Amino acid sequence: MDGFDKILVVDDEQDLCEILQFNLEMDGYSVDTANSAEEALNLPLSKYSLILLDVMMGEISGFQMARQLKTNPATADLPIIFITALDNEDCTLKGFNLGADDYIAKPLSIKEVKARVRAVLRRSQRARQQAPLVANSEKLLKVGGLTVDLQTKSVKIDETSIDLTKLEFELLLVFLQNKGKLYSREDLLQKVWPSDALVTDRTVDVNITRLRKKIGAYGKHVKTKVGYGYYFEIVSE
């Protein structure tokens, strides 16, 4: 039931916070508000089911706050919907690359906000229900000195931590769990991106390029099969 879902609205427009709080509470959600990222970051964020996050705020922007959340294992899986007046493709792609689950442009339609909140919460709940139980021995994926920790959602090369976005991490996870398997761009969009995200094949290419750079020497093992897609080359470990 929706009433069990706790939502945090973060926006420097107090009137908008109050409007969203009122309307979402009418739908049965428990809603808190914060008027800055600084205020929000002092809250116990892991208790929330979803954050509605404004992009343009004071000293810490919504994008900066999202980056902090996604690099913290305690909040890495916390769904985020960006709400912003920056309605252009570059900003939208940046939001999704940071791990956002959805992106709503201002001025807001309350009906649209409610529909998107319901959709994101349904996806989040379904993902939790379908997540496989991983045995202790399988919580680490290793290829040479590249180690992926499934529990903390972190990546290391030897002893050096690698800072990946949620999308980059999930792409790497798909490749390492299915080494040698070829994935088309459409396959990767379906596996990694939100089902209703407005993204293109080019978005996959951009994220693959960034992933390759971040994992250094191991990036060369993410192979391209022209006209077909991508796969992780099987190497001796």
Side-chain angles (χ1 to χ4, degrees), residues 123-155:
R123 286 202 305 269
S124 177
Q125 183 179 30
R126 189 163 56 243
R128 290 195 301 270
Q129 292 172 342
Q130 295 175 350
L133 295 176
V134 182
N136 289 335
S137 61
E138 297 175 333
K139 286 182 179 177
L140 296 179
L141 293 176
K142 299 191 73 172
V143 175
L146 176 64
T147 303
V148 177
D149 189 322
L150 279 68
Q151 189 170 23
T152 63
K153 304 291 191 297
S154 60
V155 178

PDB file of all heavy atoms in Angstrom, residues 123-155:
ATOM      1  N   ARG A 123       8.487   0.143  -9.866  1.00  0.00           N
ATOM      2  CA  ARG A 123       9.722  -0.452 -10.401  1.00  0.00           C
ATOM      3  C   ARG A 123      10.686  -0.796  -9.277  1.00  0.00           C
ATOM      4  O   ARG A 123      11.326  -1.848  -9.283  1.00  0.00           O
ATOM      5  CB  ARG A 123      10.400   0.503 -11.382  1.00  0.00           C
ATOM      6  CG  ARG A 123       9.713   0.621 -12.726  1.00  0.00           C
ATOM      7  CD  ARG A 123      10.676   1.125 -13.783  1.00  0.00           C
ATOM      8  NE  ARG A 123      11.302   2.376 -13.414  1.00  0.00           N
ATOM      9  CZ  ARG A 123      10.814   3.578 -13.722  1.00  0.00           C
ATOM     10  NH1 ARG A 123       9.681   3.676 -14.371  1.00  0.00           N
ATOM     11  NH2 ARG A 123      11.462   4.676 -13.381  1.00  0.00           N
ATOM     12  N   SER A 124      10.795   0.123  -8.315  1.00  0.00           N
ATOM     13  CA  SER A 124      11.718  -0.095  -7.203  1.00  0.00           C
ATOM     14  C   SER A 124      11.305  -1.311  -6.383  1.00  0.00           C
ATOM     15  O   SER A 124      12.138  -2.145  -6.025  1.00  0.00           O
ATOM     16  CB  SER A 124      11.759   1.157  -6.320  1.00  0.00           C
ATOM     17  OG  SER A 124      12.591   0.955  -5.204  1.00  0.00           O
ATOM     18  N   GLN A 125      10.019  -1.422  -6.115  1.00  0.00           N
ATOM     19  CA  GLN A 125       9.524  -2.562  -5.350  1.00  0.00           C
ATOM     20  C   GLN A 125       9.720  -3.859  -6.117  1.00  0.00           C
ATOM     21  O   GLN A 125      10.139  -4.882  -5.552  1.00  0.00           O
ATOM     22  CB  GLN A 125       8.040  -2.367  -5.024  1.00  0.00           C
ATOM     23  CG  GLN A 125       7.458  -3.489  -4.155  1.00  0.00           C
ATOM     24  CD  GLN A 125       5.998  -3.261  -3.832  1.00  0.00           C
ATOM     25  OE1 GLN A 125       5.261  -2.651  -4.608  1.00  0.00           O
ATOM     26  NE2 GLN A 125       5.548  -3.753  -2.698  1.00  0.00           N
ATOM     27  N   ARG A 126       9.452  -3.836  -7.423  1.00  0.00           N
ATOM     28  CA  ARG A 126       9.626  -5.030  -8.251  1.00  0.00           C
ATOM     29  C   ARG A 126      11.090  -5.456  -8.291  1.00  0.00           C
ATOM     30  O   ARG A 126      11.409  -6.646  -8.212  1.00  0.00           O
ATOM     31  CB  ARG A 126       9.098  -4.750  -9.670  1.00  0.00           C
ATOM     32  CG  ARG A 126       9.029  -5.988 -10.548  1.00  0.00           C
ATOM     33  CD  ARG A 126       8.128  -5.748 -11.747  1.00  0.00           C
ATOM     34  NE  ARG A 126       8.548  -4.608 -12.527  1.00  0.00           N
ATOM     35  CZ  ARG A 126       7.818  -3.511 -12.702  1.00  0.00           C
ATOM     36  NH1 ARG A 126       6.634  -3.398 -12.124  1.00  0.00           N
ATOM     37  NH2 ARG A 126       8.258  -2.512 -13.439  1.00  0.00           N
ATOM     38  N   ALA A 127      11.990  -4.481  -8.386  1.00  0.00           N
ATOM     39  CA  ALA A 127      13.425  -4.790  -8.423  1.00  0.00           C
ATOM     40  C   ALA A 127      13.876  -5.435  -7.117  1.00  0.00           C
ATOM     41  O   ALA A 127      14.678  -6.374  -7.120  1.00  0.00           O
ATOM     42  CB  ALA A 127      14.223  -3.521  -8.693  1.00  0.00           C
ATOM     43  N   ARG A 128      13.352  -4.930  -5.983  1.00  0.00           N
ATOM     44  CA  ARG A 128      13.721  -5.525  -4.696  1.00  0.00           C
ATOM     45  C   ARG A 128      13.206  -6.953  -4.579  1.00  0.00           C
ATOM     46  O   ARG A 128      13.891  -7.834  -4.056  1.00  0.00           O
ATOM     47  CB  ARG A 128      13.157  -4.683  -3.542  1.00  0.00           C
ATOM     48  CG  ARG A 128      13.833  -3.339  -3.362  1.00  0.00           C
ATOM     49  CD  ARG A 128      13.485  -2.732  -2.004  1.00  0.00           C
ATOM     50  NE  ARG A 128      12.063  -2.549  -1.824  1.00  0.00           N
ATOM     51  CZ  ARG A 128      11.402  -1.446  -2.158  1.00  0.00           C
ATOM     52  NH1 ARG A 128      12.042  -0.438  -2.702  1.00  0.00           N
ATOM     53  NH2 ARG A 128      10.104  -1.352  -1.940  1.00  0.00           N
ATOM     54  N   GLN A 129      12.004  -7.189  -5.084  1.00  0.00           N
ATOM     55  CA  GLN A 129      11.420  -8.525  -5.003  1.00  0.00           C
ATOM     56  C   GLN A 129      12.133  -9.519  -5.899  1.00  0.00           C
ATOM     57  O   GLN A 129      12.247 -10.698  -5.578  1.00  0.00           O
ATOM     58  CB  GLN A 129       9.933  -8.472  -5.367  1.00  0.00           C
ATOM     59  CG  GLN A 129       9.080  -7.727  -4.347  1.00  0.00           C
ATOM     60  CD  GLN A 129       7.656  -7.524  -4.818  1.00  0.00           C
ATOM     61  OE1 GLN A 129       7.351  -7.633  -6.007  1.00  0.00           O
ATOM     62  NE2 GLN A 129       6.764  -7.240  -3.878  1.00  0.00           N
ATOM     63  N   GLN A 130      12.618  -9.034  -7.059  1.00  0.00           N
ATOM     64  CA  GLN A 130      13.243  -9.918  -8.032  1.00  0.00           C
ATOM     65  C   GLN A 130      14.746 -10.064  -7.819  1.00  0.00           C
ATOM     66  O   GLN A 130      15.373 -10.915  -8.430  1.00  0.00           O
ATOM     67  CB  GLN A 130      12.987  -9.404  -9.452  1.00  0.00           C
ATOM     68  CG  GLN A 130      11.519  -9.447  -9.844  1.00  0.00           C
ATOM     69  CD  GLN A 130      11.260  -8.833 -11.212  1.00  0.00           C
ATOM     70  OE1 GLN A 130      12.136  -8.214 -11.807  1.00  0.00           O
ATOM     71  NE2 GLN A 130      10.058  -9.011 -11.709  1.00  0.00           N
ATOM     72  N   ALA A 131      15.324  -9.235  -6.940  1.00  0.00           N
ATOM     73  CA  ALA A 131      16.770  -9.290  -6.734  1.00  0.00           C
ATOM     74  C   ALA A 131      17.150 -10.659  -6.189  1.00  0.00           C
ATOM     75  O   ALA A 131      16.580 -11.137  -5.212  1.00  0.00           O
ATOM     76  CB  ALA A 131      17.202  -8.208  -5.758  1.00  0.00           C
ATOM     77  N   PRO A 132      18.104 -11.341  -6.846  1.00  0.00           N
ATOM     78  CA  PRO A 132      18.499 -12.668  -6.382  1.00  0.00           C
ATOM     79  C   PRO A 132      19.221 -12.595  -5.046  1.00  0.00           C
ATOM     80  O   PRO A 132      19.899 -11.616  -4.749  1.00  0.00           O
ATOM     81  CB  PRO A 132      19.443 -13.162  -7.488  1.00  0.00           C
ATOM     82  CG  PRO A 132      19.984 -11.918  -8.094  1.00  0.00           C
ATOM     83  CD  PRO A 132      18.875 -10.909  -8.008  1.00  0.00           C
ATOM     84  N   LEU A 133      19.043 -13.619  -4.226  1.00  0.00           N
ATOM     85  CA  LEU A 133      19.803 -13.719  -2.991  1.00  0.00           C
ATOM     86  C   LEU A 133      21.199 -14.202  -3.344  1.00  0.00           C
ATOM     87  O   LEU A 133      21.373 -15.263  -3.935  1.00  0.00           O
ATOM     88  CB  LEU A 133      19.122 -14.722  -2.032  1.00  0.00           C
ATOM     89  CG  LEU A 133      17.735 -14.297  -1.529  1.00  0.00           C
ATOM     90  CD1 LEU A 133      17.136 -15.413  -0.671  1.00  0.00           C
ATOM     91  CD2 LEU A 133      17.836 -13.015  -0.724  1.00  0.00           C
ATOM     92  N   VAL A 134      22.212 -13.430  -2.987  1.00  0.00           N
ATOM     93  CA  VAL A 134      23.580 -13.746  -3.367  1.00  0.00           C
ATOM     94  C   VAL A 134      24.302 -14.384  -2.192  1.00  0.00           C
ATOM     95  O   VAL A 134      24.331 -13.832  -1.092  1.00  0.00           O
ATOM     96  CB  VAL A 134      24.336 -12.464  -3.796  1.00  0.00           C
ATOM     97  CG1 VAL A 134      25.750 -12.801  -4.233  1.00  0.00           C
ATOM     98  CG2 VAL A 134      23.580 -11.782  -4.928  1.00  0.00           C
ATOM     99  N   ALA A 135      24.863 -15.549  -2.401  1.00  0.00           N
ATOM    100  CA  ALA A 135      25.629 -16.205  -1.350  1.00  0.00           C
ATOM    101  C   ALA A 135      26.875 -15.394  -1.044  1.00  0.00           C
ATOM    102  O   ALA A 135      27.368 -14.645  -1.883  1.00  0.00           O
ATOM    103  CB  ALA A 135      26.017 -17.619  -1.803  1.00  0.00           C
ATOM    104  N   ASN A 136      27.393 -15.548   0.175  1.00  0.00           N
ATOM    105  CA  ASN A 136      28.569 -14.776   0.582  1.00  0.00           C
ATOM    106  C   ASN A 136      29.711 -14.925  -0.396  1.00  0.00           C
ATOM    107  O   ASN A 136      30.416 -13.968  -0.710  1.00  0.00           O
ATOM    108  CB  ASN A 136      29.025 -15.219   1.980  1.00  0.00           C
ATOM    109  CG  ASN A 136      28.058 -14.757   3.056  1.00  0.00           C
ATOM    110  OD1 ASN A 136      27.350 -13.779   2.858  1.00  0.00           O
ATOM    111  ND2 ASN A 136      28.027 -15.445   4.177  1.00  0.00           N
ATOM    112  N   SER A 137      29.913 -16.140  -0.904  1.00  0.00           N
ATOM    113  CA  SER A 137      31.028 -16.385  -1.802  1.00  0.00           C
ATOM    114  C   SER A 137      30.843 -15.718  -3.152  1.00  0.00           C
ATOM    115  O   SER A 137      31.775 -15.634  -3.940  1.00  0.00           O
ATOM    116  CB  SER A 137      31.206 -17.896  -2.007  1.00  0.00           C
ATOM    117  OG  SER A 137      30.027 -18.440  -2.588  1.00  0.00           O
ATOM    118  N   GLU A 138      29.607 -15.258  -3.439  1.00  0.00           N
ATOM    119  CA  GLU A 138      29.330 -14.662  -4.746  1.00  0.00           C
ATOM    120  C   GLU A 138      29.138 -13.155  -4.662  1.00  0.00           C
ATOM    121  O   GLU A 138      28.712 -12.532  -5.616  1.00  0.00           O
ATOM    122  CB  GLU A 138      28.064 -15.304  -5.345  1.00  0.00           C
ATOM    123  CG  GLU A 138      28.206 -16.801  -5.604  1.00  0.00           C
ATOM    124  CD  GLU A 138      26.914 -17.420  -6.071  1.00  0.00           C
ATOM    125  OE1 GLU A 138      25.852 -16.873  -5.710  1.00  0.00           O
ATOM    126  OE2 GLU A 138      26.953 -18.431  -6.775  1.00  0.00           O
ATOM    127  N   LYS A 139      29.456 -12.567  -3.521  1.00  0.00           N
ATOM    128  CA  LYS A 139      29.259 -11.129  -3.375  1.00  0.00           C
ATOM    129  C   LYS A 139      30.376 -10.323  -4.020  1.00  0.00           C
ATOM    130  O   LYS A 139      30.263  -9.111  -4.170  1.00  0.00           O
ATOM    131  CB  LYS A 139      29.129 -10.764  -1.895  1.00  0.00           C
ATOM    132  CG  LYS A 139      27.776 -11.192  -1.311  1.00  0.00           C
ATOM    133  CD  LYS A 139      27.640 -10.794   0.146  1.00  0.00           C
ATOM    134  CE  LYS A 139      26.270 -11.215   0.674  1.00  0.00           C
ATOM    135  NZ  LYS A 139      26.125 -10.897   2.110  1.00  0.00           N
ATOM    136  N   LEU A 140      31.456 -10.988  -4.401  1.00  0.00           N
ATOM    137  CA  LEU A 140      32.555 -10.325  -5.092  1.00  0.00           C
ATOM    138  C   LEU A 140      32.716 -10.921  -6.478  1.00  0.00           C
ATOM    139  O   LEU A 140      32.775 -12.139  -6.635  1.00  0.00           O
ATOM    140  CB  LEU A 140      33.863 -10.486  -4.310  1.00  0.00           C
ATOM    141  CG  LEU A 140      33.949  -9.842  -2.920  1.00  0.00           C
ATOM    142  CD1 LEU A 140      35.307 -10.132  -2.308  1.00  0.00           C
ATOM    143  CD2 LEU A 140      33.713  -8.351  -3.003  1.00  0.00           C
ATOM    144  N   LEU A 141      32.762 -10.062  -7.489  1.00  0.00           N
ATOM    145  CA  LEU A 141      33.089 -10.480  -8.855  1.00  0.00           C
ATOM    146  C   LEU A 141      34.496  -9.984  -9.153  1.00  0.00           C
ATOM    147  O   LEU A 141      34.793  -8.809  -8.940  1.00  0.00           O
ATOM    148  CB  LEU A 141      32.097  -9.885  -9.857  1.00  0.00           C
ATOM    149  CG  LEU A 141      30.651 -10.371  -9.788  1.00  0.00           C
ATOM    150  CD1 LEU A 141      29.805  -9.608 -10.789  1.00  0.00           C
ATOM    151  CD2 LEU A 141      30.567 -11.864 -10.055  1.00  0.00           C
ATOM    152  N   LYS A 142      35.347 -10.877  -9.653  1.00  0.00           N
ATOM    153  CA  LYS A 142      36.737 -10.494  -9.873  1.00  0.00           C
ATOM    154  C   LYS A 142      37.187 -10.901 -11.269  1.00  0.00           C
ATOM    155  O   LYS A 142      36.888 -11.987 -11.747  1.00  0.00           O
ATOM    156  CB  LYS A 142      37.660 -11.142  -8.832  1.00  0.00           C
ATOM    157  CG  LYS A 142      37.351 -10.736  -7.398  1.00  0.00           C
ATOM    158  CD  LYS A 142      38.444 -11.174  -6.436  1.00  0.00           C
ATOM    159  CE  LYS A 142      39.689 -10.326  -6.613  1.00  0.00           C
ATOM    160  NZ  LYS A 142      40.701 -10.602  -5.560  1.00  0.00           N
ATOM    161  N   VAL A 143      37.897  -9.986 -11.913  1.00  0.00           N
ATOM    162  CA  VAL A 143      38.607 -10.271 -13.161  1.00  0.00           C
ATOM    163  C   VAL A 143      39.996  -9.686 -12.975  1.00  0.00           C
ATOM    164  O   VAL A 143      40.164  -8.462 -13.002  1.00  0.00           O
ATOM    165  CB  VAL A 143      37.913  -9.633 -14.383  1.00  0.00           C
ATOM    166  CG1 VAL A 143      38.769  -9.851 -15.629  1.00  0.00           C
ATOM    167  CG2 VAL A 143      36.532 -10.214 -14.585  1.00  0.00           C
ATOM    168  N   GLY A 144      40.969 -10.536 -12.716  1.00  0.00           N
ATOM    169  CA  GLY A 144      42.307 -10.040 -12.422  1.00  0.00           C
ATOM    170  C   GLY A 144      42.268  -9.159 -11.183  1.00  0.00           C
ATOM    171  O   GLY A 144      41.782  -9.560 -10.128  1.00  0.00           O
ATOM    172  N   GLY A 145      42.746  -7.927 -11.306  1.00  0.00           N
ATOM    173  CA  GLY A 145      42.742  -6.993 -10.184  1.00  0.00           C
ATOM    174  C   GLY A 145      41.483  -6.156 -10.102  1.00  0.00           C
ATOM    175  O   GLY A 145      41.361  -5.297  -9.225  1.00  0.00           O
ATOM    176  N   LEU A 146      40.522  -6.391 -11.004  1.00  0.00           N
ATOM    177  CA  LEU A 146      39.255  -5.660 -10.999  1.00  0.00           C
ATOM    178  C   LEU A 146      38.264  -6.398 -10.109  1.00  0.00           C
ATOM    179  O   LEU A 146      37.946  -7.566 -10.355  1.00  0.00           O
ATOM    180  CB  LEU A 146      38.704  -5.547 -12.424  1.00  0.00           C
ATOM    181  CG  LEU A 146      37.328  -4.894 -12.600  1.00  0.00           C
ATOM    182  CD1 LEU A 146      37.363  -3.437 -12.181  1.00  0.00           C
ATOM    183  CD2 LEU A 146      36.857  -5.025 -14.046  1.00  0.00           C
ATOM    184  N   THR A 147      37.782  -5.722  -9.072  1.00  0.00           N
ATOM    185  CA  THR A 147      36.863  -6.348  -8.120  1.00  0.00           C
ATOM    186  C   THR A 147      35.586  -5.532  -8.000  1.00  0.00           C
ATOM    187  O   THR A 147      35.630  -4.323  -7.778  1.00  0.00           O
ATOM    188  CB  THR A 147      37.500  -6.455  -6.720  1.00  0.00           C
ATOM    189  OG1 THR A 147      38.727  -7.194  -6.822  1.00  0.00           O
ATOM    190  CG2 THR A 147      36.568  -7.154  -5.751  1.00  0.00           C
ATOM    191  N   VAL A 148      34.445  -6.197  -8.146  1.00  0.00           N
ATOM    192  CA  VAL A 148      33.137  -5.569  -7.976  1.00  0.00           C
ATOM    193  C   VAL A 148      32.484  -6.179  -6.743  1.00  0.00           C
ATOM    194  O   VAL A 148      32.306  -7.398  -6.665  1.00  0.00           O
ATOM    195  CB  VAL A 148      32.240  -5.793  -9.208  1.00  0.00           C
ATOM    196  CG1 VAL A 148      30.855  -5.196  -8.968  1.00  0.00           C
ATOM    197  CG2 VAL A 148      32.867  -5.177 -10.447  1.00  0.00           C
ATOM    198  N   ASP A 149      32.159  -5.333  -5.784  1.00  0.00           N
ATOM    199  CA  ASP A 149      31.493  -5.765  -4.558  1.00  0.00           C
ATOM    200  C   ASP A 149      29.995  -5.532  -4.710  1.00  0.00           C
ATOM    201  O   ASP A 149      29.538  -4.385  -4.743  1.00  0.00           O
ATOM    202  CB  ASP A 149      32.043  -4.977  -3.355  1.00  0.00           C
ATOM    203  CG  ASP A 149      31.558  -5.532  -2.020  1.00  0.00           C
ATOM    204  OD1 ASP A 149      30.384  -5.943  -1.948  1.00  0.00           O
ATOM    205  OD2 ASP A 149      32.345  -5.534  -1.058  1.00  0.00           O
ATOM    206  N   LEU A 150      29.224  -6.627  -4.818  1.00  0.00           N
ATOM    207  CA  LEU A 150      27.781  -6.511  -5.047  1.00  0.00           C
ATOM    208  C   LEU A 150      27.048  -5.997  -3.827  1.00  0.00           C
ATOM    209  O   LEU A 150      25.971  -5.420  -3.945  1.00  0.00           O
ATOM    210  CB  LEU A 150      27.197  -7.865  -5.461  1.00  0.00           C
ATOM    211  CG  LEU A 150      27.346  -8.262  -6.925  1.00  0.00           C
ATOM    212  CD1 LEU A 150      28.791  -8.540  -7.281  1.00  0.00           C
ATOM    213  CD2 LEU A 150      26.498  -9.486  -7.239  1.00  0.00           C
ATOM    214  N   GLN A 151      27.622  -6.169  -2.650  1.00  0.00           N
ATOM    215  CA  GLN A 151      26.948  -5.744  -1.429  1.00  0.00           C
ATOM    216  C   GLN A 151      27.056  -4.237  -1.229  1.00  0.00           C
ATOM    217  O   GLN A 151      26.072  -3.566  -0.894  1.00  0.00           O
ATOM    218  CB  GLN A 151      27.540  -6.477  -0.225  1.00  0.00           C
ATOM    219  CG  GLN A 151      26.755  -6.268   1.058  1.00  0.00           C
ATOM    220  CD  GLN A 151      27.220  -7.193   2.162  1.00  0.00           C
ATOM    221  OE1 GLN A 151      28.340  -7.683   2.152  1.00  0.00           O
ATOM    222  NE2 GLN A 151      26.354  -7.437   3.133  1.00  0.00           N
ATOM    223  N   THR A 152      28.256  -3.695  -1.436  1.00  0.00           N
ATOM    224  CA  THR A 152      28.455  -2.253  -1.217  1.00  0.00           C
ATOM    225  C   THR A 152      28.344  -1.454  -2.500  1.00  0.00           C
ATOM    226  O   THR A 152      28.463  -0.233  -2.487  1.00  0.00           O
ATOM    227  CB  THR A 152      29.833  -1.995  -0.597  1.00  0.00           C
ATOM    228  OG1 THR A 152      30.864  -2.425  -1.521  1.00  0.00           O
ATOM    229  CG2 THR A 152      29.990  -2.739   0.716  1.00  0.00           C
ATOM    230  N   LYS A 153      28.106  -2.134  -3.639  1.00  0.00           N
ATOM    231  CA  LYS A 153      28.005  -1.477  -4.948  1.00  0.00           C
ATOM    232  C   LYS A 153      29.267  -0.645  -5.239  1.00  0.00           C
ATOM    233  O   LYS A 153      29.178   0.496  -5.686  1.00  0.00           O
ATOM    234  CB  LYS A 153      26.767  -0.568  -5.003  1.00  0.00           C
ATOM    235  CG  LYS A 153      25.458  -1.269  -4.692  1.00  0.00           C
ATOM    236  CD  LYS A 153      25.067  -2.247  -5.769  1.00  0.00           C
ATOM    237  CE  LYS A 153      23.637  -2.754  -5.587  1.00  0.00           C
ATOM    238  NZ  LYS A 153      23.429  -3.512  -4.348  1.00  0.00           N
ATOM    239  N   SER A 154      30.410  -1.236  -4.958  1.00  0.00           N
ATOM    240  CA  SER A 154      31.672  -0.521  -5.155  1.00  0.00           C
ATOM    241  C   SER A 154      32.599  -1.304  -6.075  1.00  0.00           C
ATOM    242  O   SER A 154      32.456  -2.522  -6.240  1.00  0.00           O
ATOM    243  CB  SER A 154      32.366  -0.274  -3.813  1.00  0.00           C
ATOM    244  OG  SER A 154      32.645  -1.501  -3.161  1.00  0.00           O
ATOM    245  N   VAL A 155      33.548  -0.584  -6.667  1.00  0.00           N
ATOM    246  CA  VAL A 155      34.489  -1.187  -7.614  1.00  0.00           C
ATOM    247  C   VAL A 155      35.904  -0.763  -7.249  1.00  0.00           C
ATOM    248  O   VAL A 155      36.153   0.395  -6.926  1.00  0.00           O
ATOM    249  CB  VAL A 155      34.174  -0.741  -9.064  1.00  0.00           C
ATOM    250  CG1 VAL A 155      35.184  -1.341 -10.048  1.00  0.00           C
ATOM    251  CG2 VAL A 155      32.758  -1.154  -9.454  1.00  0.00           C
TER     252      VAL A 155
END
